[in-house]
PDB file of all heavy atoms in Angstrom:
ATOM      1  N   ALA A 199      70.432 -78.744 110.536  1.00 98.00           N
ATOM      2  CA  ALA A 199      71.486 -78.978 109.548  1.00 98.00           C
ATOM      3  C   ALA A 199      72.175 -77.670 109.186  1.00 98.00           C
ATOM      4  O   ALA A 199      73.404 -77.608 109.065  1.00 98.00           O
ATOM      5  CB  ALA A 199      70.903 -79.643 108.303  1.00 98.00           C
ATOM      6  N   ASN A 216      51.486 -78.025 109.993  1.00 96.00           N
ATOM      7  CA  ASN A 216      51.229 -78.974 111.075  1.00 96.00           C
ATOM      8  C   ASN A 216      51.377 -78.296 112.436  1.00 96.00           C
ATOM      9  O   ASN A 216      52.462 -77.850 112.808  1.00 96.00           O
ATOM     10  CB  ASN A 216      52.188 -80.164 110.962  1.00 96.00           C
ATOM     11  CG  ASN A 216      51.874 -81.275 111.943  1.00 96.00           C
ATOM     12  OD1 ASN A 216      51.775 -81.056 113.142  1.00 96.00           O
ATOM     13  ND2 ASN A 216      51.722 -82.479 111.424  1.00 96.00           N
ATOM     14  N   TYR A 223      58.924 -77.260 116.958  1.00 98.00           N
ATOM     15  CA  TYR A 223      59.864 -76.281 116.394  1.00 98.00           C
ATOM     16  C   TYR A 223      60.007 -75.087 117.340  1.00 98.00           C
ATOM     17  O   TYR A 223      61.126 -74.654 117.666  1.00 98.00           O
ATOM     18  CB  TYR A 223      59.349 -75.835 115.028  1.00 98.00           C
ATOM     19  CG  TYR A 223      60.331 -75.029 114.201  1.00 98.00           C
ATOM     20  CD1 TYR A 223      60.995 -75.602 113.128  1.00 98.00           C
ATOM     21  CD2 TYR A 223      60.570 -73.678 114.472  1.00 98.00           C
ATOM     22  CE1 TYR A 223      61.879 -74.870 112.349  1.00 98.00           C
ATOM     23  CE2 TYR A 223      61.444 -72.942 113.703  1.00 98.00           C
ATOM     24  CZ  TYR A 223      62.108 -73.538 112.638  1.00 98.00           C
ATOM     25  OH  TYR A 223      62.982 -72.791 111.886  1.00 98.00           O
ATOM     26  N   GLN A 233      52.042 -70.581 110.167  1.00 93.00           N
ATOM     27  CA  GLN A 233      51.162 -71.732 110.001  1.00 93.00           C
ATOM     28  C   GLN A 233      50.014 -71.357 109.075  1.00 93.00           C
ATOM     29  O   GLN A 233      49.060 -70.707 109.468  1.00 93.00           O
ATOM     30  CB  GLN A 233      50.619 -72.186 111.362  1.00 93.00           C
ATOM     31  CG  GLN A 233      49.868 -73.501 111.292  1.00 93.00           C
ATOM     32  CD  GLN A 233      49.672 -74.114 112.660  1.00 93.00           C
ATOM     33  OE1 GLN A 233      50.479 -73.909 113.559  1.00 93.00           O
ATOM     34  NE2 GLN A 233      48.608 -74.876 112.838  1.00 93.00           N
ATOM     35  N   ALA A 241      54.364 -63.908  95.101  1.00 97.00           N
ATOM     36  CA  ALA A 241      55.739 -63.450  94.904  1.00 97.00           C
ATOM     37  C   ALA A 241      56.024 -62.225  95.756  1.00 97.00           C
ATOM     38  O   ALA A 241      57.110 -62.095  96.336  1.00 97.00           O
ATOM     39  CB  ALA A 241      55.976 -63.152  93.425  1.00 97.00           C
ATOM     40  N   LEU A 244      56.745 -63.208  99.374  1.00 97.00           N
ATOM     41  CA  LEU A 244      58.069 -63.791  99.562  1.00 97.00           C
ATOM     42  C   LEU A 244      59.173 -62.763  99.343  1.00 97.00           C
ATOM     43  O   LEU A 244      60.221 -62.814 100.014  1.00 97.00           O
ATOM     44  CB  LEU A 244      58.243 -64.987  98.635  1.00 97.00           C
ATOM     45  CG  LEU A 244      57.273 -66.143  98.937  1.00 97.00           C
ATOM     46  CD1 LEU A 244      57.349 -67.206  97.854  1.00 97.00           C
ATOM     47  CD2 LEU A 244      57.580 -66.753 100.292  1.00 97.00           C
ATOM     48  N   PRO A 257      56.108 -82.414 100.873  1.00 86.00           N
ATOM     49  CA  PRO A 257      55.507 -83.724 101.159  1.00 86.00           C
ATOM     50  C   PRO A 257      55.987 -84.791 100.186  1.00 86.00           C
ATOM     51  O   PRO A 257      56.085 -84.556  98.977  1.00 86.00           O
ATOM     52  CB  PRO A 257      54.002 -83.466 101.002  1.00 86.00           C
ATOM     53  CG  PRO A 257      53.845 -82.007 101.315  1.00 86.00           C
ATOM     54  CD  PRO A 257      55.088 -81.355 100.771  1.00 86.00           C
ATOM     55  N   CYS A 258      56.279 -85.977 100.739  1.00 88.00           N
ATOM     56  CA  CYS A 258      56.839 -87.047  99.912  1.00 88.00           C
ATOM     57  C   CYS A 258      55.777 -88.030  99.418  1.00 88.00           C
ATOM     58  O   CYS A 258      56.025 -88.795  98.480  1.00 88.00           O
ATOM     59  CB  CYS A 258      57.902 -87.807 100.699  1.00 88.00           C
ATOM     60  SG  CYS A 258      57.259 -88.673 102.165  1.00 88.00           S
ATOM     61  N   LEU A 293      68.899 -66.951  95.554  1.00 97.00           N
ATOM     62  CA  LEU A 293      70.175 -67.239  94.892  1.00 97.00           C
ATOM     63  C   LEU A 293      70.497 -68.719  94.932  1.00 97.00           C
ATOM     64  O   LEU A 293      71.196 -69.231  94.057  1.00 97.00           O
ATOM     65  CB  LEU A 293      71.302 -66.455  95.568  1.00 97.00           C
ATOM     66  CG  LEU A 293      71.227 -64.928  95.517  1.00 97.00           C
ATOM     67  CD1 LEU A 293      72.440 -64.327  96.209  1.00 97.00           C
ATOM     68  CD2 LEU A 293      71.139 -64.442  94.078  1.00 97.00           C
ATOM     69  N   GLY A 302      62.478 -91.642  94.171  1.00 92.00           N
ATOM     70  CA  GLY A 302      61.272 -91.769  93.358  1.00 92.00           C
ATOM     71  C   GLY A 302      60.824 -90.403  92.863  1.00 92.00           C
ATOM     72  O   GLY A 302      60.244 -90.292  91.777  1.00 92.00           O
ATOM     73  N   LEU A 316      64.036 -74.398  86.896  1.00 98.00           N
ATOM     74  CA  LEU A 316      65.343 -73.944  87.364  1.00 98.00           C
ATOM     75  C   LEU A 316      66.259 -73.608  86.197  1.00 98.00           C
ATOM     76  O   LEU A 316      66.912 -72.551  86.177  1.00 98.00           O
ATOM     77  CB  LEU A 316      65.972 -75.008  88.264  1.00 98.00           C
ATOM     78  CG  LEU A 316      65.298 -75.216  89.633  1.00 98.00           C
ATOM     79  CD1 LEU A 316      65.874 -76.437  90.335  1.00 98.00           C
ATOM     80  CD2 LEU A 316      65.459 -73.974  90.513  1.00 98.00           C
ATOM     81  N   GLN A 324      72.820 -79.499  90.859  1.00 97.00           N
ATOM     82  CA  GLN A 324      73.505 -80.763  91.111  1.00 97.00           C
ATOM     83  C   GLN A 324      72.564 -81.593  91.974  1.00 97.00           C
ATOM     84  O   GLN A 324      72.053 -81.102  92.987  1.00 97.00           O
ATOM     85  CB  GLN A 324      74.856 -80.548  91.804  1.00 97.00           C
ATOM     86  CG  GLN A 324      75.868 -79.857  90.912  1.00 97.00           C
ATOM     87  CD  GLN A 324      77.264 -79.808  91.511  1.00 97.00           C
ATOM     88  OE1 GLN A 324      77.560 -80.443  92.523  1.00 97.00           O
ATOM     89  NE2 GLN A 324      78.146 -79.041  90.855  1.00 97.00           N
ATOM     90  N   GLY A 334      78.644 -92.378 107.695  1.00 95.00           N
ATOM     91  CA  GLY A 334      79.048 -92.986 108.956  1.00 95.00           C
ATOM     92  C   GLY A 334      77.924 -93.285 109.915  1.00 95.00           C
ATOM     93  O   GLY A 334      78.176 -93.692 111.048  1.00 95.00           O
ATOM     94  N   LEU A 348      71.783 -69.794  91.412  1.00 97.00           N
ATOM     95  CA  LEU A 348      71.454 -68.834  90.360  1.00 97.00           C
ATOM     96  C   LEU A 348      72.743 -68.230  89.807  1.00 97.00           C
ATOM     97  O   LEU A 348      73.565 -67.707  90.556  1.00 97.00           O
ATOM     98  CB  LEU A 348      70.552 -67.736  90.928  1.00 97.00           C
ATOM     99  CG  LEU A 348      70.071 -66.657  89.963  1.00 97.00           C
ATOM    100  CD1 LEU A 348      69.207 -67.251  88.860  1.00 97.00           C
ATOM    101  CD2 LEU A 348      69.286 -65.575  90.718  1.00 97.00           C
ATOM    102  N   HIS A 364      75.100 -90.604  92.844  1.00 95.00           N
ATOM    103  CA  HIS A 364      74.851 -91.488  93.978  1.00 95.00           C
ATOM    104  C   HIS A 364      76.085 -91.583  94.882  1.00 95.00           C
ATOM    105  O   HIS A 364      76.129 -92.413  95.787  1.00 95.00           O
ATOM    106  CB  HIS A 364      74.474 -92.888  93.491  1.00 95.00           C
ATOM    107  CG  HIS A 364      73.141 -92.959  92.822  1.00 95.00           C
ATOM    108  ND1 HIS A 364      72.912 -92.467  91.546  1.00 95.00           N
ATOM    109  CD2 HIS A 364      71.951 -93.458  93.252  1.00 95.00           C
ATOM    110  CE1 HIS A 364      71.643 -92.677  91.217  1.00 95.00           C
ATOM    111  NE2 HIS A 364      71.043 -93.260  92.230  1.00 95.00           N
ATOM    112  N   GLU A 367      81.324 -87.823  95.553  1.00 91.00           N
ATOM    113  CA  GLU A 367      82.463 -87.302  94.797  1.00 91.00           C
ATOM    114  C   GLU A 367      82.562 -85.783  94.797  1.00 91.00           C
ATOM    115  O   GLU A 367      83.644 -85.233  95.010  1.00 91.00           O
ATOM    116  CB  GLU A 367      82.429 -87.831  93.362  1.00 91.00           C
ATOM    117  CG  GLU A 367      83.733 -87.631  92.621  1.00 91.00           C
ATOM    118  CD  GLU A 367      83.748 -88.328  91.270  1.00 91.00           C
ATOM    119  OE1 GLU A 367      82.809 -89.094  90.983  1.00 91.00           O
ATOM    120  OE2 GLU A 367      84.700 -88.090  90.515  1.00 91.00           O
ATOM    121  N   ARG A 380      94.577 -74.453 101.562  1.00 52.00           N
ATOM    122  CA  ARG A 380      95.124 -74.208 102.905  1.00 52.00           C
ATOM    123  C   ARG A 380      96.597 -74.612 102.973  1.00 52.00           C
ATOM    124  O   ARG A 380      97.399 -73.978 103.644  1.00 52.00           O
ATOM    125  CB  ARG A 380      94.321 -74.984 103.959  1.00 52.00           C
ATOM    126  CG  ARG A 380      92.862 -74.570 104.079  1.00 52.00           C
ATOM    127  CD  ARG A 380      92.732 -73.136 104.575  1.00 52.00           C
ATOM    128  NE  ARG A 380      91.358 -72.842 104.894  1.00 52.00           N
ATOM    129  CZ  ARG A 380      90.447 -72.395 104.046  1.00 52.00           C
ATOM    130  NH1 ARG A 380      90.789 -72.203 102.784  1.00 52.00           N
ATOM    131  NH2 ARG A 380      89.216 -72.146 104.440  1.00 52.00           N
ATOM    132  N   LYS A 393      83.766 -83.412 107.611  1.00 49.00           N
ATOM    133  CA  LYS A 393      84.210 -84.793 107.520  1.00 49.00           C
ATOM    134  C   LYS A 393      83.094 -85.666 106.945  1.00 49.00           C
ATOM    135  O   LYS A 393      81.963 -85.620 107.389  1.00 49.00           O
ATOM    136  CB  LYS A 393      84.592 -85.315 108.912  1.00 49.00           C
ATOM    137  CG  LYS A 393      85.657 -84.486 109.629  1.00 49.00           C
ATOM    138  CD  LYS A 393      86.985 -84.555 108.926  1.00 49.00           C
ATOM    139  CE  LYS A 393      88.116 -83.996 109.776  1.00 49.00           C
ATOM    140  NZ  LYS A 393      87.935 -82.599 110.134  1.00 49.00           N
ATOM    141  N   GLU A 396      82.730 -93.341 105.067  1.00 53.00           N
ATOM    142  CA  GLU A 396      81.904 -94.479 104.692  1.00 53.00           C
ATOM    143  C   GLU A 396      82.045 -95.601 105.719  1.00 53.00           C
ATOM    144  O   GLU A 396      81.579 -96.714 105.492  1.00 53.00           O
ATOM    145  CB  GLU A 396      82.291 -94.948 103.281  1.00 53.00           C
ATOM    146  CG  GLU A 396      81.998 -93.891 102.226  1.00 53.00           C
ATOM    147  CD  GLU A 396      82.368 -94.326 100.826  1.00 53.00           C
ATOM    148  OE1 GLU A 396      82.843 -95.464 100.679  1.00 53.00           O
ATOM    149  OE2 GLU A 396      82.168 -93.537  99.897  1.00 53.00           O
ATOM    150  N   LYS A 416      75.976-101.245 131.904  1.00 44.00           N
ATOM    151  CA  LYS A 416      74.675-101.491 132.506  1.00 44.00           C
ATOM    152  C   LYS A 416      74.664-101.084 133.958  1.00 44.00           C
ATOM    153  O   LYS A 416      75.549-101.418 134.733  1.00 44.00           O
ATOM    154  CB  LYS A 416      74.308-102.972 132.367  1.00 44.00           C
ATOM    155  CG  LYS A 416      72.932-103.278 132.945  1.00 44.00           C
ATOM    156  CD  LYS A 416      72.559-104.731 132.747  1.00 44.00           C
ATOM    157  CE  LYS A 416      71.215-105.032 133.367  1.00 44.00           C
ATOM    158  NZ  LYS A 416      70.833-106.436 133.224  1.00 44.00           N
ATOM    159  N   HIS A 424      65.219 -98.400 137.534  1.00 57.00           N
ATOM    160  CA  HIS A 424      64.605 -97.256 136.848  1.00 57.00           C
ATOM    161  C   HIS A 424      64.803 -97.358 135.341  1.00 57.00           C
ATOM    162  O   HIS A 424      63.900 -97.055 134.559  1.00 57.00           O
ATOM    163  CB  HIS A 424      65.206 -95.942 137.363  1.00 57.00           C
ATOM    164  CG  HIS A 424      64.767 -95.583 138.746  1.00 57.00           C
ATOM    165  ND1 HIS A 424      63.461 -95.701 139.149  1.00 57.00           N
ATOM    166  CD2 HIS A 424      65.466 -95.110 139.811  1.00 57.00           C
ATOM    167  CE1 HIS A 424      63.356 -95.301 140.416  1.00 57.00           C
ATOM    168  NE2 HIS A 424      64.558 -94.953 140.837  1.00 57.00           N
ATOM    169  N   PRO A 436      54.703-109.823 123.237  1.00 93.00           N
ATOM    170  CA  PRO A 436      54.940-111.180 122.716  1.00 93.00           C
ATOM    171  C   PRO A 436      53.977-111.567 121.602  1.00 93.00           C
ATOM    172  O   PRO A 436      54.362-112.282 120.662  1.00 93.00           O
ATOM    173  CB  PRO A 436      54.738-112.070 123.951  1.00 93.00           C
ATOM    174  CG  PRO A 436      55.065-111.176 125.110  1.00 93.00           C
ATOM    175  CD  PRO A 436      54.589-109.810 124.711  1.00 93.00           C
ATOM    176  N   SER A 437      52.736-111.109 121.660  1.00 92.00           N
ATOM    177  CA  SER A 437      51.763-111.441 120.618  1.00 92.00           C
ATOM    178  C   SER A 437      52.192-110.901 119.258  1.00 92.00           C
ATOM    179  O   SER A 437      51.995-111.555 118.227  1.00 92.00           O
ATOM    180  CB  SER A 437      50.384-110.894 120.990  1.00 92.00           C
ATOM    181  OG  SER A 437      50.422-109.481 121.133  1.00 92.00           O
ATOM    182  N   ASP A 447      62.537-106.430 110.977  1.00 95.00           N
ATOM    183  CA  ASP A 447      63.970-106.187 110.773  1.00 95.00           C
ATOM    184  C   ASP A 447      64.591-106.057 112.160  1.00 95.00           C
ATOM    185  O   ASP A 447      64.393-105.055 112.847  1.00 95.00           O
ATOM    186  CB  ASP A 447      64.203-104.913 109.961  1.00 95.00           C
ATOM    187  CG  ASP A 447      65.683-104.705 109.692  1.00 95.00           C
ATOM    188  OD1 ASP A 447      66.235-105.427 108.854  1.00 95.00           O
ATOM    189  OD2 ASP A 447      66.285-103.830 110.355  1.00 95.00           O
ATOM    190  N   TYR A 463      55.901 -96.023 112.585  1.00 96.00           N
ATOM    191  CA  TYR A 463      56.633 -96.807 113.588  1.00 96.00           C
ATOM    192  C   TYR A 463      55.910 -96.710 114.925  1.00 96.00           C
ATOM    193  O   TYR A 463      55.436 -95.643 115.303  1.00 96.00           O
ATOM    194  CB  TYR A 463      58.062 -96.268 113.706  1.00 96.00           C
ATOM    195  CG  TYR A 463      59.017 -97.148 114.484  1.00 96.00           C
ATOM    196  CD1 TYR A 463      59.351 -98.410 114.041  1.00 96.00           C
ATOM    197  CD2 TYR A 463      59.616 -96.679 115.654  1.00 96.00           C
ATOM    198  CE1 TYR A 463      60.251 -99.200 114.731  1.00 96.00           C
ATOM    199  CE2 TYR A 463      60.523 -97.454 116.358  1.00 96.00           C
ATOM    200  CZ  TYR A 463      60.834 -98.725 115.895  1.00 96.00           C
ATOM    201  OH  TYR A 463      61.724 -99.513 116.592  1.00 96.00           O
ATOM    202  N   ALA A 509      71.869 -83.283 120.864  1.00 97.00           N
ATOM    203  CA  ALA A 509      71.463 -83.824 122.165  1.00 97.00           C
ATOM    204  C   ALA A 509      70.444 -82.938 122.872  1.00 97.00           C
ATOM    205  O   ALA A 509      69.662 -83.427 123.697  1.00 97.00           O
ATOM    206  CB  ALA A 509      72.693 -84.020 123.049  1.00 97.00           C
ATOM    207  N   GLN A 521      52.808 -89.435 118.269  1.00 98.00           N
ATOM    208  CA  GLN A 521      53.083 -88.204 117.536  1.00 98.00           C
ATOM    209  C   GLN A 521      54.582 -87.989 117.374  1.00 98.00           C
ATOM    210  O   GLN A 521      55.042 -87.534 116.322  1.00 98.00           O
ATOM    211  CB  GLN A 521      52.456 -87.011 118.251  1.00 98.00           C
ATOM    212  CG  GLN A 521      50.944 -86.934 118.134  1.00 98.00           C
ATOM    213  CD  GLN A 521      50.355 -85.822 118.967  1.00 98.00           C
ATOM    214  OE1 GLN A 521      50.878 -85.463 120.044  1.00 98.00           O
ATOM    215  NE2 GLN A 521      49.251 -85.233 118.506  1.00 98.00           N
ATOM    216  N   LEU A 525      56.348 -87.594 113.760  1.00 98.00           N
ATOM    217  CA  LEU A 525      57.091 -86.385 113.406  1.00 98.00           C
ATOM    218  C   LEU A 525      58.530 -86.716 113.011  1.00 98.00           C
ATOM    219  O   LEU A 525      59.080 -86.137 112.067  1.00 98.00           O
ATOM    220  CB  LEU A 525      57.067 -85.396 114.570  1.00 98.00           C
ATOM    221  CG  LEU A 525      55.694 -84.773 114.871  1.00 98.00           C
ATOM    222  CD1 LEU A 525      55.714 -84.064 116.215  1.00 98.00           C
ATOM    223  CD2 LEU A 525      55.288 -83.797 113.765  1.00 98.00           C
ATOM    224  N   SER A 531      67.508 -86.453 107.700  1.00 97.00           N
ATOM    225  CA  SER A 531      68.782 -86.809 108.325  1.00 97.00           C
ATOM    226  C   SER A 531      69.710 -85.599 108.349  1.00 97.00           C
ATOM    227  O   SER A 531      70.244 -85.186 107.318  1.00 97.00           O
ATOM    228  CB  SER A 531      69.446 -87.957 107.571  1.00 97.00           C
ATOM    229  OG  SER A 531      70.711 -88.246 108.129  1.00 97.00           O
TER     230      SER A 531
END
Side-chain angles (χ1 to χ4, degrees):
N216 187 306
Y223 191 104
Q233 189 164 331
L244 296 171
C258 64
L293 297 181
L316 291 171
Q324 292 188 10
L348 182 63
H364 291 74
E367 194 172 352
R380 297 295 190 273
K393 304 294 192 300
E396 296 180 1
K416 182 178 178 181
H424 288 316
S437 60
D447 183 74
Y463 192 64
Q521 287 174 328
L525 292 167
S531 177

